Amino acid sequence: MKLERKHALVLLAIAAWNVITYLRFIKALIDTEGRPTGYYVAHTILVIVNLLIAVMLGTWGVRAYKAAKASQSSPV
């Protein structure tokens, strides 16, 4: 499957959304008090996994964008 520029932009938008929402989630997690340790461990793992997913999607988006740009500029 060949990824086009629109696919790359969707991947980048999802990655940005994940980063923005999970940074807000981290702030809310820091402000939370009086929860069991398991709560903090589980939610910290959730944040880490989702930020890793954002990095992966962002990387794919950048690569797809560059590939689409290169294939658009090269003669067929």
Side-chain angles (χ1 to χ4, degrees), residues 9 11 23 29 32 34 40-41 45 47 49 53 69 75:
L9 294 176
L11 288 172
L23 288 177
L29 189 62
T32 304
Y40 295 107
V41 170
I45 291 170
V47 167
V49 167
I53 289 170
K69 189 175 179 181

Side-chain angles (χ1 to χ4, degrees), residues 1-2 9 18 46 63 71 75:
M1 179 175 134
K2 182 178 176 185
L9 294 176
N18 268 2
L46 177 69
R63 288 182 182 174
S71 68

